[in-house]
Amino acid sequence: IDNFDQLKTPIDPKSQLVARVKAACSRAYDDEIIRAATATATIGADDGHLSTEAFDTTNYQVSSIYGSGATSTGLSVAKLSEAYRILEHSHALEEDKQITLVIGSTQNDNLRRQAQVVSSDFNKNGGVLENGTVTRFMGMDVIVSERLPIITDKDSKANCRGCLAFVKSGIYLGVWQDVKVEVLRRNELSSNPWDVNTMLSIGGTRTELGRVVQISCADAIGADNA
């Protein structure tokens, strides 16, 4: 931030830049967890006995045409039930009952349009909507994120949102350096500008196949524009 630029603005831009940097770091956390969920994982007991493990879409991905024949569809109760079945079949729920479901805005819209999700006739607590967002359904805590990738699923259906259902023990995020922001004066540069310096060191991995399920949902909105 050049001193002359700062003199010509009615507000101090440093605080706004720091806030934006923190928001960007939060997106970096989300992106690393989402990437690690279906990425090739490195497994082994020690450095001398490591191997790689690709994500198995055959057994741990719910196809975008599941429950609909041959047509790619959005998120449905049938797809969520199948994801739950896969986790249950993989013994992922025996020790860890906490399931997180990450969906996009289109999938949130899909759920809002289904009576089985929002109607009190199917939900004893009077539905699961909170300020227009489905917050919990079928024992899954729902998080809406546009950071989920657009994929081609195992049945070669393109333009699908790769939603995720996983237990807490299924993904590990290592934080070696949490978000550290420093505002420094650069006296060695002309006009002695301010430098907003940010440091972050993280890494994620999937811990075990069967603890993470990818749910493919037709989504014409496309990737995140932020």
Side-chain angles (χ1 to χ4, degrees):
I1 304 170
D2 189 273
N3 276 327
F4 291 105
D5 292 334
Q6 186 168 328
L7 288 171
K8 296 175 184 178
T9 57
I11 58 175
D12 185 355
K14 293 194 292 297
S15 59
Q16 289 189 356
L17 283 178
V18 170
R20 291 175 183 176
V21 163
K22 288 184 176 180
C25 289
S26 295
R27 290 193 295 271
Y29 279 114
D30 293 344
D31 290 345
E32 180 60 15
I33 293 172
I34 291 170
R35 181 205 65 80
T38 57
T40 298
T42 300
I43 60 176
D46 54 62
D47 290 343
H49 302 84
L50 297 179
S51 61
T52 58
E53 179 185 77
F55 184 73
D56 182 358
T57 57
T58 301
N59 295 306
Y60 304 112
Q61 183 189 82
V62 180
S63 172
S64 65
I65 65 174
Y66 183 85
S68 64
T71 304
S72 183
T73 60
L75 185 59
S76 64
V77 173
K79 289 183 180 181
L80 292 178
S81 183
E82 174 63 5
Y84 193 99
R85 184 201 66 78
I86 293 173
L87 291 172
E88 198 169 35
H89 178 69
S90 304
H91 304 285
L93 304 181
E94 290 182 355
E95 297 180 359
D96 194 345
K97 296 292 186 180
Q98 182 179 350
I99 305 174
T100 299
L101 174 67
V102 186
I103 62 176
S105 59
T106 300
Q107 291 71 56
N108 191 32
D109 178 63
N110 295 154
L111 294 180
R112 286 197 302 265
R113 295 173 184 269
Q114 297 181 59
Q116 287 176 272
V117 178
V118 299
S119 173
S120 59
D121 291 338
F122 296 92
N123 298 278
K124 63 181 182 179
N125 295 324
V128 290
L129 279 178
E130 185 175 322
N131 297 323
T133 299
V134 179
T135 57
R136 185 173 173 82
F137 183 69
M138 205 179 292
M140 303 179 184
D141 295 320
V142 182
I143 296 175
V144 178
S145 172
E146 293 298 275
R147 310 297 291 181
L148 291 165
I150 298 298
I151 64 170
T152 298
D153 73 0
K154 62 182 179 182
D155 289 317
S156 301
K157 299 296 184 181
N159 299 319
C160 297
R161 182 78 66 178
C163 301
L164 297 170
F166 58 92
V167 293
K168 187 176 181 181
S169 61
I171 301 177
Y172 181 80
L173 180 68
V175 181
W176 292 273
Q177 173 63 64
D178 207 346
V179 180
K180 181 180 180 182
V181 181
E182 294 181 314
V183 181
L184 309 171
R185 194 71 178 267
R186 299 294 299 274
N187 293 319
E188 77 280 11
L189 299 178
S190 176
S191 81
N192 307 127
W194 291 94
D195 181 18
V196 179
N197 184 278
T198 309
M199 183 181 297
L200 174 65
S201 181
I202 59 176
T205 186
R206 182 182 62 257
T207 61
E208 185 181 345
L209 285 173
R211 295 180 180 270
V212 179
V213 177
Q214 188 177 55
I215 309 172
S216 301
C217 304
D219 193 331
I221 299 299
D224 189 10
N225 57 9

